[in-house]
Amino acid sequence: MTNETLTQNQMAALMPLFAPLIDEIAGRVSGEVIAALQRKEPRYYTRKETAQLIHVTLPTLARLTKDGIITAKKIGSRILYDAEAIDEAVRENKMFKYRRARL
């Protein structure tokens, strides 16, 4: 047995010393995780991701954006869609596909 290994008795003796430190670290980490979740930074989908989520083609998505049915933000040369609005539309099962008129 080497000097680097601790026996069960030594571990039991050290645990009361380390337990408050472990609890403090766990409390801080969980607090930071909760704070990060509550900040809710805005998320965005690209054109391709949005088209896949709502099951339309890119030209149809462009038409829906042009008609104002779906709002987009242009950042530089990219067109991005708010993830919350798209997720809500998917949850509500909104139909965005083009429907042909029946003769």
Side-chain angles (χ1 to χ4, degrees):
M1 188 165 148
T2 65
N3 292 338
E4 294 179 10
T5 59
L6 297 175
T7 64
Q8 291 290 344
N9 292 337
Q10 291 171 331
M11 290 283 285
L14 290 175
M15 280 311 291
L17 298 173
F18 288 118
L21 180 62
I22 293 170
D23 291 340
E24 178 68 25
I25 292 170
R28 284 186 187 179
V29 169
S30 64
E32 290 177 14
V33 168
I34 290 171
L37 290 174
Q38 290 175 345
R39 272 182 271 183
K40 289 195 100 173
E41 296 178 5
R43 294 181 330 169
Y44 296 98
Y45 290 127
T46 62
R47 290 179 64 234
K48 188 174 182 179
E49 291 170 333
T50 303
Q52 288 175 348
L53 284 170
I54 61 175
H55 304 289
V56 297
T57 62
L58 290 175
T60 302
L61 181 62
R63 181 183 52 81
L64 293 170
T65 304
K66 183 180 176 185
D67 293 345
I69 296 171
I70 297 176
T71 58
K73 293 184 180 187
K74 189 168 186 177
I75 300 174
S77 62
R78 299 182 74 193
I79 298 173
L80 301 175
Y81 296 88
D82 183 38
E84 287 187 30
I86 300 301
D87 292 341
E88 183 65 29
V90 170
R91 275 193 292 272
E92 292 176 1
N93 289 328
K94 284 188 179 177
M95 292 296 292
F96 292 110
K97 293 182 180 181
Y98 177 76
R99 293 186 184 181
R100 295 185 177 167
R102 293 186 183 215
L103 299 176

XYZ file of all heavy atoms in Angstrom:
821
model
N 0.837 -1.171 0.000
C 0.000 0.000 0.000
C 0.887 1.242 0.000
O 1.809 1.345 0.780
C -0.900 -0.027 1.236
C -1.923 1.029 1.254
S -3.117 0.563 2.517
C -3.614 2.099 3.070
N 0.567 2.196 -0.891
C 1.395 3.386 -0.997
C 0.848 4.498 -0.122
O -0.269 4.433 0.396
C 1.462 3.869 -2.455
O 0.155 4.278 -2.830
C 1.965 2.789 -3.378
N 1.612 5.558 0.025
C 1.204 6.705 0.834
C 0.104 7.509 0.170
O -0.588 8.272 0.830
C 2.407 7.612 1.094
C 3.430 6.962 2.002
O 3.090 6.041 2.742
N 4.654 7.435 1.951
N -0.079 7.368 -1.139
C -1.057 8.163 -1.873
C -2.478 7.656 -1.696
O -3.421 8.415 -1.909
C -0.690 8.188 -3.348
C 0.611 8.912 -3.607
C 0.989 8.911 -5.070
O 0.154 8.507 -5.893
O 2.107 9.314 -5.376
N -2.663 6.438 -1.342
C -4.018 5.911 -1.176
C -4.485 6.148 0.247
O -3.717 6.056 1.204
C -4.068 4.406 -1.493
O -3.167 3.726 -0.628
C -3.693 4.145 -2.942
N -5.772 6.478 0.362
C -6.367 6.722 1.675
C -7.196 5.514 2.089
O -7.883 4.913 1.269
C -7.267 7.960 1.628
C -6.577 9.284 1.316
C -7.617 10.383 1.189
C -5.561 9.636 2.370
N -7.139 5.221 3.359
C -7.954 4.125 3.874
C -9.377 4.623 4.092
O -9.644 5.831 4.059
C -7.383 3.593 5.198
O -7.473 4.639 6.178
C -5.944 3.126 5.042
N -10.281 3.724 4.311
C -11.679 4.081 4.565
C -11.795 4.959 5.812
O -12.583 5.897 5.841
C -12.528 2.806 4.730
C -12.695 2.013 3.457
C -13.581 2.749 2.460
O -14.297 3.681 2.781
N -13.500 2.312 1.215
N -11.008 4.670 6.833
C -11.055 5.469 8.069
C -10.577 6.893 7.814
O -11.145 7.853 8.348
C -10.216 4.811 9.155
C -10.811 3.508 9.632
O -12.015 3.280 9.492
N -9.977 2.633 10.172
N -9.530 7.040 7.018
C -9.025 8.372 6.714
C -10.046 9.168 5.893
O -10.228 10.359 6.105
C -7.694 8.274 5.958
C -6.547 7.759 6.813
C -5.307 7.474 5.993
O -5.395 7.138 4.807
N -4.138 7.598 6.631
N -10.690 8.503 4.943
C -11.726 9.155 4.134
C -12.885 9.603 5.011
O -13.396 10.709 4.857
C -12.238 8.209 3.046
C -11.247 7.930 1.951
S -11.124 9.269 0.793
C -12.615 9.045 -0.106
N -13.299 8.751 5.940
C -14.397 9.096 6.843
C -14.022 10.281 7.721
O -14.869 11.119 8.048
C -14.765 7.880 7.694
N -12.767 10.375 8.111
C -12.323 11.489 8.950
C -12.270 12.798 8.157
O -12.514 13.874 8.704
C -10.959 11.167 9.549
N -11.968 12.737 6.876
C -11.853 13.937 6.050
C -13.195 14.456 5.536
O -13.320 15.642 5.221
C -10.925 13.667 4.870
C -9.445 13.505 5.208
C -8.667 13.130 3.965
C -8.887 14.771 5.830
N -14.177 13.606 5.431
C -15.470 14.012 4.860
C -16.128 15.163 5.616
O -16.646 16.080 4.976
C -16.422 12.812 4.761
C -16.135 11.927 3.550
S -15.981 12.828 1.994
C -17.646 13.377 1.753
N -16.141 15.196 6.944
C -16.747 16.354 7.624
C -16.039 17.669 7.292
O -16.654 18.729 7.322
C -16.612 16.018 9.107
C -16.488 14.542 9.159
C -15.790 14.152 7.905
N -14.761 17.608 6.961
C -14.031 18.827 6.598
C -14.398 19.301 5.197
O -14.472 20.506 4.930
C -12.520 18.573 6.681
C -11.966 18.192 8.050
C -10.500 17.806 7.944
C -12.140 19.345 9.028
N -14.601 18.366 4.280
C -14.871 18.719 2.891
C -16.356 18.914 2.581
O -16.696 19.562 1.593
C -14.302 17.649 1.953
C -12.801 17.677 1.866
C -12.056 16.591 2.274
C -12.148 18.793 1.386
C -10.678 16.616 2.195
C -10.770 18.833 1.296
C -10.024 17.738 1.713
N -17.244 18.377 3.384
C -18.682 18.454 3.097
C -19.182 19.885 2.966
O -19.895 20.209 1.993
C -19.474 17.678 4.145
N -18.835 20.828 3.883
C -19.318 22.214 3.699
C -18.771 22.863 2.426
O -19.480 23.603 1.748
C -18.801 22.944 4.939
C -18.508 21.889 5.934
C -18.154 20.671 5.164
N -17.528 22.548 2.094
C -16.932 23.094 0.876
C -17.646 22.562 -0.363
O -17.958 23.319 -1.294
C -15.442 22.737 0.830
C -14.661 23.235 -0.370
C -14.662 24.757 -0.416
C -13.247 22.699 -0.340
N -17.931 21.282 -0.378
C -18.643 20.663 -1.499
C -20.041 21.254 -1.632
O -20.502 21.576 -2.734
C -18.689 19.129 -1.328
C -17.272 18.551 -1.464
C -19.638 18.503 -2.344
C -17.176 17.101 -1.069
N -20.740 21.448 -0.509
C -22.082 22.043 -0.537
C -22.038 23.475 -1.072
O -22.912 23.883 -1.841
C -22.703 22.018 0.858
C -23.055 20.617 1.322
O -23.179 19.722 0.452
O -23.201 20.415 2.546
N -21.033 24.238 -0.664
C -20.905 25.618 -1.131
C -20.670 25.671 -2.639
O -21.291 26.456 -3.357
C -19.747 26.313 -0.394
C -19.490 27.728 -0.827
C -20.600 28.685 -0.441
O -21.329 28.409 0.528
O -20.741 29.715 -1.122
N -19.799 24.828 -3.138
C -19.521 24.796 -4.583
C -20.756 24.372 -5.358
O -21.107 24.971 -6.374
C -18.329 23.862 -4.874
C -17.042 24.469 -4.304
C -18.188 23.611 -6.371
C -15.865 23.525 -4.334
N -21.454 23.360 -4.873
C -22.667 22.893 -5.553
C -23.732 23.987 -5.572
O -24.431 24.172 -6.576
C -23.196 21.634 -4.878
N -23.859 24.730 -4.470
C -24.830 25.817 -4.404
C -24.521 26.921 -5.394
O -25.408 27.445 -6.067
N -23.257 27.279 -5.514
C -22.860 28.328 -6.461
C -23.089 27.899 -7.903
O -23.602 28.665 -8.720
C -21.393 28.682 -6.261
C -21.135 29.523 -5.062
C -19.697 29.957 -5.016
N -19.414 30.629 -3.770
C -18.218 31.098 -3.448
N -17.201 30.946 -4.289
N -18.029 31.708 -2.293
N -22.706 26.682 -8.215
C -22.869 26.192 -9.590
C -24.348 26.115 -9.959
O -24.759 26.556 -11.034
C -22.178 24.820 -9.774
C -22.562 24.182 -11.091
C -20.678 24.978 -9.665
N -25.175 25.590 -9.075
C -26.605 25.501 -9.384
C -27.219 26.890 -9.492
O -28.094 27.112 -10.335
C -27.335 24.655 -8.348
O -27.272 25.263 -7.077
N -26.773 27.843 -8.701
C -27.268 29.214 -8.804
C -26.917 29.842 -10.139
O -27.733 30.541 -10.745
N -25.698 29.595 -10.611
C -25.286 30.129 -11.905
C -26.067 29.490 -13.049
O -26.424 30.165 -14.008
C -23.789 29.925 -12.105
C -22.940 30.803 -11.206
C -21.461 30.544 -11.350
O -21.062 29.874 -12.330
O -20.703 31.001 -10.485
N -26.337 28.209 -12.936
C -27.106 27.526 -13.987
C -28.527 28.071 -14.034
O -29.061 28.349 -15.117
C -27.097 25.996 -13.754
C -28.109 25.302 -14.646
C -25.708 25.430 -13.977
N -29.146 28.261 -12.892
C -30.509 28.795 -12.841
C -30.541 30.214 -13.387
O -31.434 30.580 -14.154
C -31.061 28.720 -11.403
C -31.306 27.261 -11.031
C -32.335 29.538 -11.262
C -31.645 27.038 -9.575
N -29.559 31.030 -13.039
C -29.501 32.403 -13.544
C -29.330 32.429 -15.052
O -29.948 33.243 -15.748
C -28.361 33.156 -12.865
N -28.526 31.530 -15.586
C -28.326 31.466 -17.039
C -29.604 31.066 -17.750
O -29.916 31.577 -18.833
C -27.200 30.487 -17.366
N -30.364 30.157 -17.164
C -31.624 29.734 -17.784
C -32.662 30.842 -17.754
O -33.502 30.942 -18.647
C -32.162 28.484 -17.082
C -31.373 27.201 -17.306
C -31.934 26.082 -16.440
C -31.389 26.806 -18.765
N -32.636 31.672 -16.727
C -33.622 32.740 -16.603
C -33.309 33.938 -17.495
O -34.189 34.724 -17.786
C -33.725 33.194 -15.151
C -34.361 32.160 -14.262
C -34.357 32.557 -12.804
O -33.649 33.468 -12.396
N -35.156 31.871 -12.001
N -32.073 34.079 -17.942
C -31.707 35.202 -18.802
C -32.376 35.126 -20.157
O -32.734 36.139 -20.731
C -30.197 35.269 -18.992
C -29.529 36.079 -17.920
C -28.089 36.145 -18.179
N -27.591 34.953 -17.483
C -26.362 34.589 -17.369
N -25.436 35.267 -17.931
N -26.009 33.518 -16.712
N -32.553 33.951 -20.682
C -33.236 33.707 -21.952
C -32.739 34.617 -23.067
O -33.402 35.554 -23.473
C -34.741 33.842 -21.801
C -35.365 32.731 -21.014
C -36.818 32.732 -21.224
C -37.103 31.660 -22.233
N -38.473 31.399 -22.441
N -31.575 34.337 -23.557
C -31.070 35.071 -24.699
C -31.877 34.654 -25.928
O -32.246 33.494 -26.074
C -29.591 34.771 -24.895
C -28.746 35.246 -23.742
C -27.284 34.900 -23.901
O -26.908 34.367 -24.966
O -26.540 35.159 -22.966
N -32.174 35.593 -26.811
C -32.985 35.245 -27.984
C -32.253 34.261 -28.889
O -31.046 34.348 -29.080
C -33.199 36.582 -28.684
C -32.148 37.476 -28.152
C -31.788 36.974 -26.793
N -33.029 33.324 -29.403
C -32.486 32.337 -30.350
C -33.110 32.597 -31.706
O -34.236 33.071 -31.803
C -32.852 30.922 -29.920
C -32.246 30.460 -28.643
C -32.671 29.050 -28.357
N -33.996 28.817 -28.940
C -34.579 27.650 -29.060
N -34.000 26.590 -28.638
N -35.766 27.519 -29.593
N -32.377 32.231 -32.725
C -32.872 32.428 -34.079
C -32.602 31.190 -34.916
O -31.643 30.464 -34.685
C -32.194 33.640 -34.735
C -32.521 34.934 -34.033
C -31.643 35.483 -33.113
C -33.715 35.587 -34.270
C -31.941 36.654 -32.452
C -34.037 36.759 -33.621
C -33.142 37.290 -32.709
O -33.451 38.435 -32.057
N -33.469 30.967 -35.903
C -33.290 29.898 -36.868
C -32.881 30.514 -38.200
O -33.326 31.602 -38.557
C -34.581 29.115 -37.083
C -35.015 28.261 -35.926
C -36.299 28.380 -35.402
C -34.171 27.317 -35.363
C -36.719 27.583 -34.349
C -34.581 26.525 -34.304
C -35.857 26.662 -33.805
O -36.254 25.883 -32.768
N -32.094 29.767 -38.958
C -31.749 30.201 -40.302
C -32.932 29.909 -41.229
O -33.909 29.273 -40.833
C -30.505 29.447 -40.810
O -30.816 28.048 -40.875
C -29.304 29.684 -39.913
N -32.824 30.360 -42.462
C -33.893 30.106 -43.439
C -34.091 28.609 -43.638
O -35.215 28.113 -43.653
C -33.555 30.753 -44.775
C -33.622 32.268 -44.751
C -33.254 32.886 -46.094
N -34.240 32.485 -47.090
C -33.933 31.897 -48.252
N -32.689 31.659 -48.569
N -34.872 31.567 -49.088
N -32.984 27.891 -43.781
C -33.070 26.449 -44.035
C -33.695 25.723 -42.851
O -34.561 24.861 -43.032
C -31.670 25.903 -44.327
C -31.646 24.481 -44.781
C -30.239 24.070 -45.185
C -30.224 22.645 -45.695
N -28.881 22.235 -46.106
N -33.280 26.056 -41.630
C -33.847 25.416 -40.438
C -35.337 25.710 -40.311
O -36.137 24.825 -39.999
C -33.123 25.909 -39.184
C -31.702 25.443 -39.057
C -30.957 26.133 -37.936
O -31.303 27.279 -37.575
O -30.008 25.522 -37.422
N -35.710 26.968 -40.578
C -37.123 27.355 -40.475
C -37.958 26.606 -41.502
O -39.032 26.090 -41.178
C -37.272 28.873 -40.673
O -36.459 29.539 -39.703
C -38.710 29.305 -40.500
N -37.465 26.531 -42.720
C -38.205 25.821 -43.768
C -38.389 24.352 -43.412
O -39.466 23.783 -43.622
C -37.473 25.957 -45.104
N -37.375 23.736 -42.837
C -37.495 22.333 -42.433
C -38.489 22.166 -41.295
O -39.264 21.212 -41.276
C -36.132 21.782 -42.025
C -35.190 21.570 -43.180
C -33.798 21.147 -42.735
O -33.464 21.224 -41.568
N -33.002 20.710 -43.686
N -38.484 23.101 -40.353
C -39.391 22.986 -39.203
C -40.853 23.106 -39.597
O -41.708 22.410 -39.048
C -39.055 24.053 -38.152
C -37.826 23.780 -37.313
C -37.465 25.008 -36.483
C -38.075 22.594 -36.382
N -41.150 24.015 -40.520
C -42.554 24.208 -40.887
C -42.919 23.489 -42.184
O -44.015 23.661 -42.696
C -42.924 25.705 -40.957
C -42.102 26.433 -42.017
C -42.750 26.365 -39.610
C -42.514 27.877 -42.211
N -41.986 22.680 -42.684
C -42.232 21.802 -43.834
C -42.656 22.565 -45.089
O -43.671 22.248 -45.716
C -43.278 20.736 -43.493
C -42.927 19.927 -42.298
N -41.910 19.000 -42.298
C -43.424 19.938 -41.036
C -41.820 18.455 -41.104
N -42.712 19.006 -40.310
N -41.869 23.585 -45.427
C -42.094 24.310 -46.665
C -40.763 24.446 -47.396
O -39.702 24.215 -46.823
C -42.704 25.717 -46.434
C -44.075 25.620 -45.798
C -41.779 26.585 -45.611
N -40.826 24.849 -48.662
C -39.607 25.076 -49.425
C -39.096 26.488 -49.145
O -39.819 27.332 -48.593
C -39.867 24.919 -50.929
O -40.816 25.910 -51.325
C -40.386 23.521 -51.259
N -37.870 26.762 -49.551
C -37.300 28.095 -49.345
C -38.068 29.185 -50.093
O -38.289 30.265 -49.537
C -35.816 28.101 -49.705
C -34.913 27.321 -48.749
C -33.478 27.298 -49.265
C -34.952 27.893 -47.357
N -38.515 28.940 -51.344
C -39.324 29.967 -52.010
C -40.654 30.238 -51.280
O -41.105 31.386 -51.201
C -39.572 29.395 -53.399
C -38.431 28.467 -53.626
C -38.134 27.882 -52.284
N -41.269 29.196 -50.747
C -42.515 29.387 -49.994
C -42.240 30.183 -48.735
O -43.018 31.074 -48.364
C -43.153 28.030 -49.657
O -43.395 27.318 -50.861
C -44.451 28.214 -48.891
N -41.137 29.902 -48.080
C -40.768 30.655 -46.877
C -40.530 32.124 -47.221
O -40.952 33.014 -46.487
C -39.526 30.046 -46.231
C -39.032 30.720 -44.958
C -40.087 30.652 -43.859
C -37.738 30.074 -44.486
N -39.902 32.375 -48.359
C -39.683 33.757 -48.799
C -41.008 34.465 -49.038
O -41.176 35.634 -48.675
C -38.824 33.777 -50.058
N -41.969 33.755 -49.642
C -43.288 34.351 -49.888
C -44.003 34.640 -48.578
O -44.609 35.701 -48.401
C -44.143 33.425 -50.756
C -45.526 34.002 -51.081
C -46.374 33.040 -51.879
N -46.480 31.723 -51.294
C -47.319 31.395 -50.294
N -48.098 32.310 -49.756
N -47.352 30.168 -49.837
N -43.935 33.695 -47.631
C -44.577 33.897 -46.332
C -43.963 35.090 -45.598
O -44.667 35.852 -44.937
C -44.444 32.633 -45.470
C -45.203 31.402 -45.949
C -44.786 30.175 -45.141
C -46.701 31.623 -45.843
N -42.672 35.254 -45.742
C -41.990 36.391 -45.118
C -42.403 37.685 -45.795
O -42.699 38.680 -45.127
C -40.462 36.207 -45.200
O -40.112 34.968 -44.591
C -39.745 37.332 -44.487
N -42.454 37.677 -47.124
C -42.839 38.865 -47.882
C -44.279 39.281 -47.568
O -44.587 40.459 -47.450
C -42.683 38.606 -49.373
C -42.982 39.793 -50.237
C -42.798 39.468 -51.703
C -43.201 40.645 -52.562
N -43.137 40.306 -53.991
N -45.161 38.296 -47.407
C -46.568 38.579 -47.101
C -46.784 38.983 -45.654
O -47.888 39.365 -45.279
C -47.431 37.356 -47.426
C -47.487 37.065 -48.919
O -47.100 37.947 -49.717
O -47.916 35.952 -49.286
N -45.755 38.852 -44.815
C -45.869 39.262 -43.410
C -46.445 38.194 -42.509
O -46.752 38.467 -41.354
N -46.615 36.986 -43.004
C -47.164 35.903 -42.187
C -46.123 35.445 -41.159
O -46.451 35.134 -40.022
C -47.618 34.739 -43.088
C -48.764 35.226 -43.983
C -48.038 33.538 -42.266
C -49.165 34.257 -45.061
N -44.876 35.432 -41.583
C -43.764 35.091 -40.693
C -42.808 36.271 -40.708
O -42.469 36.786 -41.776
C -43.031 33.819 -41.176
C -43.958 32.626 -41.148
C -41.809 33.547 -40.311
C -43.342 31.365 -41.699
N -42.376 36.715 -39.531
C -41.458 37.849 -39.470
C -40.021 37.354 -39.430
O -39.721 36.330 -38.826
C -41.738 38.718 -38.231
O -41.616 37.919 -37.066
C -43.113 39.326 -38.293
N -39.172 38.108 -40.091
C -37.756 37.759 -40.155
C -36.934 38.990 -39.808
O -37.402 40.126 -39.917
C -37.392 37.263 -41.539
N -35.703 38.739 -39.392
C -34.764 39.822 -39.131
C -33.575 39.628 -40.042
O -33.072 38.520 -40.186
C -34.306 39.792 -37.673
C -35.399 40.106 -36.701
C -34.871 40.152 -35.294
C -36.023 40.480 -34.361
N -35.572 40.706 -33.006
N -33.149 40.708 -40.645
C -31.985 40.635 -41.508
C -30.792 41.168 -40.729
O -30.785 42.307 -40.292
C -32.200 41.439 -42.781
C -31.119 41.222 -43.797
C -31.496 41.779 -45.139
C -30.409 41.385 -46.134
N -30.727 41.833 -47.464
N -29.810 40.317 -40.555
C -28.592 40.689 -39.849
C -27.448 40.494 -40.827
O -27.087 39.357 -41.154
C -28.394 39.838 -38.577
C -29.580 40.045 -37.645
C -27.082 40.174 -37.905
C -29.577 39.177 -36.430
N -26.919 41.608 -41.287
C -25.903 41.535 -42.340
C -26.535 40.993 -43.600
O -27.523 41.521 -44.092
N -25.982 39.915 -44.113
C -26.554 39.298 -45.308
C -27.426 38.099 -44.967
O -27.947 37.446 -45.858
C -25.427 38.856 -46.244
O -24.628 37.885 -45.595
N -27.586 37.827 -43.680
C -28.358 36.647 -43.254
C -29.777 37.031 -42.872
O -30.011 38.098 -42.311
C -27.679 35.993 -42.057
C -26.277 35.524 -42.370
C -25.667 34.847 -41.208
N -26.301 33.528 -41.092
C -26.173 32.761 -40.022
N -25.476 33.145 -39.008
N -26.758 31.591 -39.983
N -30.703 36.147 -43.149
C -32.094 36.317 -42.731
C -32.347 35.291 -41.642
O -32.164 34.092 -41.852
C -33.061 36.120 -43.912
C -32.787 37.180 -44.977
C -34.505 36.182 -43.436
C -33.572 36.988 -46.250
N -32.770 35.774 -40.475
C -32.996 34.901 -39.325
C -34.426 35.050 -38.833
O -35.030 36.117 -38.922
C -32.014 35.237 -38.206
C -30.534 35.104 -38.556
C -29.677 35.584 -37.403
C -30.189 33.675 -38.912
N -34.948 33.956 -38.280
C -36.317 33.916 -37.783
C -36.296 33.651 -36.288
O -35.530 32.813 -35.806
C -37.106 32.815 -38.503
C -37.248 33.085 -39.971
C -36.279 32.665 -40.871
C -38.341 33.776 -40.462
C -36.392 32.932 -42.226
C -38.462 34.049 -41.812
C -37.483 33.627 -42.689
O -37.606 33.899 -44.018
N -37.146 34.367 -35.557
C -37.215 34.208 -34.105
C -37.658 32.797 -33.760
O -38.710 32.331 -34.204
C -38.192 35.228 -33.515
C -38.247 35.162 -32.006
O -37.186 34.951 -31.382
O -39.351 35.318 -31.452
N -36.862 32.114 -32.946
C -37.126 30.711 -32.624
C -38.429 30.547 -31.846
O -39.162 29.581 -32.068
C -35.962 30.128 -31.837
N -38.732 31.477 -30.945
C -39.964 31.342 -30.145
C -41.202 31.406 -31.022
O -42.143 30.636 -30.833
C -40.013 32.421 -29.066
C -39.049 32.167 -27.936
C -39.227 33.157 -26.804
O -40.366 33.630 -26.599
O -38.233 33.444 -26.138
N -41.215 32.323 -31.991
C -42.376 32.447 -32.874
C -42.538 31.202 -33.747
O -43.661 30.707 -33.927
C -42.238 33.685 -33.754
N -41.444 30.679 -34.247
C -41.515 29.485 -35.091
C -41.914 28.276 -34.257
O -42.756 27.471 -34.676
C -40.166 29.243 -35.807
C -39.800 30.433 -36.692
C -40.199 27.955 -36.608
C -40.810 30.768 -37.759
N -41.342 28.135 -33.065
C -41.700 27.017 -32.192
C -43.176 27.060 -31.811
O -43.845 26.028 -31.771
C -40.835 27.015 -30.928
C -39.372 26.696 -31.220
O -39.090 26.134 -32.294
O -38.529 27.004 -30.356
N -43.691 28.254 -31.566
C -45.110 28.399 -31.229
C -45.986 27.996 -32.416
O -46.995 27.312 -32.254
C -45.411 29.843 -30.818
C -46.840 30.068 -30.395
C -47.218 29.319 -29.126
O -46.355 29.080 -28.273
O -48.412 28.966 -28.993
N -45.608 28.398 -33.604
C -46.366 28.027 -34.804
C -46.350 26.514 -35.005
O -47.371 25.920 -35.372
C -45.801 28.731 -36.025
N -45.219 25.884 -34.738
C -45.128 24.429 -34.879
C -46.006 23.745 -33.829
O -46.709 22.772 -34.121
C -43.652 23.969 -34.769
C -43.561 22.463 -34.664
C -42.859 24.464 -35.972
N -46.007 24.267 -32.604
C -46.850 23.682 -31.543
C -48.334 23.797 -31.888
O -49.117 22.912 -31.582
C -46.581 24.374 -30.205
C -45.409 23.822 -29.448
C -45.387 24.323 -28.029
N -45.108 25.739 -27.950
C -43.894 26.285 -27.893
N -42.846 25.505 -27.910
N -43.737 27.576 -27.820
N -48.710 24.907 -32.507
C -50.116 25.118 -32.867
C -50.500 24.385 -34.149
O -51.658 24.432 -34.560
C -50.382 26.616 -33.041
C -50.293 27.405 -31.761
C -50.464 28.892 -31.996
O -50.667 29.300 -33.175
O -50.394 29.649 -31.031
N -49.540 23.738 -34.795
C -49.761 23.020 -36.060
C -50.338 23.926 -37.135
O -51.241 23.541 -37.869
C -50.668 21.811 -35.850
C -49.982 20.721 -35.081
O -48.782 20.553 -35.195
N -50.736 19.990 -34.284
N -49.817 25.134 -37.231
C -50.262 26.033 -38.289
C -49.836 25.477 -39.632
O -48.756 24.934 -39.779
C -49.654 27.429 -38.112
C -50.302 28.236 -37.032
C -49.778 29.646 -37.051
C -50.447 30.479 -35.993
N -49.904 31.849 -35.953
N -50.707 25.632 -40.602
C -50.412 25.162 -41.959
C -49.885 26.343 -42.764
O -50.558 27.348 -42.913
C -51.676 24.602 -42.617
C -52.175 23.320 -41.974
S -51.035 21.940 -42.122
C -51.111 21.645 -43.857
N -48.673 26.206 -43.290
C -48.075 27.259 -44.092
C -47.977 26.874 -45.561
O -47.584 27.675 -46.379
C -46.670 27.589 -43.569
C -46.685 28.235 -42.222
C -46.236 27.552 -41.112
C -47.149 29.526 -42.055
C -46.238 28.148 -39.872
C -47.158 30.134 -40.829
C -46.703 29.441 -39.734
N -48.312 25.648 -45.872
C -48.169 25.187 -47.245
C -49.183 25.878 -48.147
O -50.288 26.216 -47.737
C -48.362 23.672 -47.321
C -47.264 22.904 -46.630
C -47.472 21.435 -46.775
C -46.370 20.674 -46.074
N -46.523 19.247 -46.202
N -48.797 26.027 -49.389
C -49.668 26.622 -50.383
C -50.770 25.625 -50.718
O -50.515 24.464 -50.977
C -48.862 26.968 -51.642
C -49.706 27.515 -52.755
C -50.156 28.824 -52.695
C -50.042 26.750 -53.830
C -50.928 29.334 -53.716
C -50.811 27.257 -54.846
C -51.237 28.558 -54.784
O -52.008 29.055 -55.798
N -51.986 26.097 -50.693
C -53.110 25.235 -51.056
C -53.671 25.688 -52.388
O -54.002 26.838 -52.594
C -54.209 25.327 -50.001
C -53.778 24.736 -48.681
C -54.932 24.729 -47.729
N -54.472 24.235 -46.441
C -55.244 24.096 -45.419
N -56.516 24.394 -45.480
N -54.773 23.646 -44.278
N -53.768 24.756 -53.301
C -54.311 25.065 -54.610
C -55.825 25.158 -54.550
O -56.478 24.417 -53.829
C -53.896 24.007 -55.619
C -52.421 23.987 -55.850
C -52.069 23.022 -56.918
N -50.627 23.083 -57.150
C -49.969 22.210 -57.844
N -50.607 21.192 -58.407
N -48.686 22.331 -58.013
N -56.332 26.034 -55.334
C -57.786 26.183 -55.417
C -58.350 24.986 -56.162
O -57.796 24.541 -57.170
C -58.153 27.468 -56.108
N -59.453 24.480 -55.668
C -60.090 23.337 -56.346
C -60.980 23.854 -57.469
O -61.652 24.844 -57.330
C -60.922 22.538 -55.360
C -60.054 21.867 -54.335
C -60.879 20.988 -53.475
N -59.998 20.406 -52.453
C -60.131 19.209 -51.977
N -61.111 18.454 -52.373
N -59.313 18.767 -51.058
N -60.964 23.129 -58.546
C -61.774 23.532 -59.710
C -63.151 22.966 -59.636
O -63.548 22.077 -59.078
C -61.091 23.081 -60.994
C -59.716 23.691 -61.210
C -59.111 23.074 -62.483
C -59.786 25.185 -61.365
